[in-house]
Amino acid sequence: MTIDKETVEKVAQLARLELTEAEKEETMQDMSKILDFMAKLNEVDTTGVEPLIYMTDTANVLREDVVKHEITHEEALQNAPKHDEDYFLVAKVIEK
């Protein structure tokens, strides 16, 4: 299957991408290769093959959530570029 320039432009517009002509050509080739590969996968006989949900048989392997090391307030502020006695000081990023 081949992808035309209009399809690439439509996808680029939906993705809010600005592509040069060279990038559009490269994208057309890449998308065509992807669709060709998908067509090959559709030819594979998967009769009797169970869908793969997880890569391993193990599910929900959890560890206990334990605090291992606690630092003091002073230690937390020690490496901060700017701080006062209690807080990190950062540049204002929100305007009113």
Side-chain angles (χ1 to χ4, degrees), residues 69-81:
H69 177 64
E70 187 176 311
I71 63 173
T72 66
H73 193 78
E74 292 77 24
E75 289 173 326
L77 293 172
Q78 188 175 22
N79 291 323

Side-chain angles (χ1 to χ4, degrees), residues 49-85:
V49 177
E50 291 293 320
L52 179 65
I53 298 173
Y54 300 105
M55 294 304 291
T56 64
D57 293 333
T58 310
N60 295 331
V61 177
L62 302 174
R63 63 172 171 78
E64 189 176 341
D65 192 11
V66 178
V67 176
K68 294 183 179 182
H69 177 64
E70 187 176 311
I71 63 173
T72 66
H73 193 78
E74 292 77 24
E75 289 173 326
L77 293 172
Q78 188 175 22
N79 291 323
K82 293 182 181 179
H83 61 86
D84 62 11
E85 293 176 10

Side-chain angles (χ1 to χ4, degrees), residues 24-69:
K24 288 178 187 177
E25 289 295 324
E26 185 178 339
T27 303
M28 283 172 34
Q29 293 172 3
D30 290 344
M31 290 176 76
S32 292
K33 287 179 185 176
I34 291 168
L35 291 177
D36 290 341
F37 182 72
M38 294 304 297
K40 284 183 184 179
L41 288 178
N42 286 333
E43 295 173 5
V44 175
D45 181 19
T46 58
T47 306
V49 177
E50 291 293 320
L52 179 65
I53 298 173
Y54 300 105
M55 294 304 291
T56 64
D57 293 333
T58 310
N60 295 331
V61 177
L62 302 174
R63 63 172 171 78
E64 189 176 341
D65 192 11
V66 178
V67 176
K68 294 183 179 182
H69 177 64

Side-chain angles (χ1 to χ4, degrees), residues 5-22:
K5 188 175 177 181
E6 288 134 15
T7 304
V8 171
E9 289 173 348
K10 177 70 174 177
V11 172
Q13 178 189 10
L14 291 172
R16 306 273 195 261
L17 297 174
E18 292 182 20
L19 301 176
T20 64
E21 288 301 316

